[in-house]
Amino acid sequence: MRRDRVTQPDLVACSGARDVDDVRALLAASDLTISGLGEPGVHLWLARDETGVVVASTGYEASDDRRDVLVRSVAVDPVLRGRGLGLGLAQWALARAGESGATRAWLFSRRSGPFWQRTGFEPADRDELARRLATTHQVRQFVATGQLGREVAWTRPLSGG
């Protein structure tokens, strides 16, 4: 896949430490949360270009009852932004979550509200998100570090659950 010709990346499931490390590098460059990517329960997909560089990622974590998911790690290489790839990545994660039986998606985003609204997300109660997804790595981290109080929550229903 040539970076200048990508319209929709071919996503594959993250498998192994190299994949996690490579996704972590993309997320760090995008100023997104990098902790917990290799934790059990984190579902993560990536796409590589022809040189093997990760150019896109998407994923989610599920609540213990699997009805709620926390969308995370949606990122696109800066060279590829502005082509609608991010929307496709978000829709991919939402579809996989719905197929797994989830009925509601949640996420944290302080900067990208308009982007998430295009995928059907609406502002949500941060404390409700934290309660419903209390056992996910990202929520536990945000609570432990005090970051939760600075986050903006978003939610939307999922079909297929």
Side-chain angles (χ1 to χ4, degrees), residues 64-85:
D64 286 343
D65 65 8
R66 308 196 63 73
R67 288 190 297 220
D68 295 280
V69 295
L70 182 65
V71 176
R72 61 175 298 179
S73 308
V74 178
V76 176
D77 184 291
V79 172
L80 299 174
R81 291 183 187 155
R83 302 177 188 195
L85 297 175

Side-chain angles (χ1 to χ4, degrees), residues 1 57 80 85 102 107 110:
M1 143 183 27
S57 67
L80 299 174
L85 297 175
L107 60 88
R110 291 172 286 178

Side-chain angles (χ1 to χ4, degrees), residues 63-65 68 103-104 106 127-134:
S63 61
D64 286 343
D65 65 8
D68 295 280
T103 58
R104 180 153 293 277
W106 302 80
D127 294 329
E128 183 180 1
L129 181 161
R131 180 182 57 75
R132 292 173 75 155
L133 290 149

Side-chain angles (χ1 to χ4, degrees), residues 3 21 23 25-26 52 66 68 70 75 83 105 109 111 115 118 120 126 128 130 144 146 151-152 154-155:
R3 282 192 201 190
D21 287 345
V23 168
L26 174 65
R66 308 196 63 73
D68 295 280
L70 182 65
R83 302 177 188 195
S109 180
R111 300 181 306 265
F115 167 83
R118 288 197 303 273
R126 175 180 53 229
E128 183 180 1
E151 292 297 328
V152 177
W154 300 83
T155 191

Side-chain angles (χ1 to χ4, degrees), residues 28-98:
S30 302
D31 194 28
L32 295 173
T33 301
I34 60 172
S35 71
L37 297 176
E39 295 290 318
V42 175
H43 303 270
L44 196 60
W45 294 269
L46 60 87
R48 294 181 184 277
D49 69 8
E50 73 283 352
T51 68
V53 172
V54 171
V55 295
S57 67
T58 191
Y60 69 85
E61 292 184 73
S63 61
D64 286 343
D65 65 8
R66 308 196 63 73
R67 288 190 297 220
D68 295 280
V69 295
L70 182 65
V71 176
R72 61 175 298 179
S73 308
V74 178
V76 176
D77 184 291
V79 172
L80 299 174
R81 291 183 187 155
R83 302 177 188 195
L85 297 175
L87 289 172
L89 294 169
Q91 291 165 346
W92 171 270
L94 294 169
R96 302 297 77 75

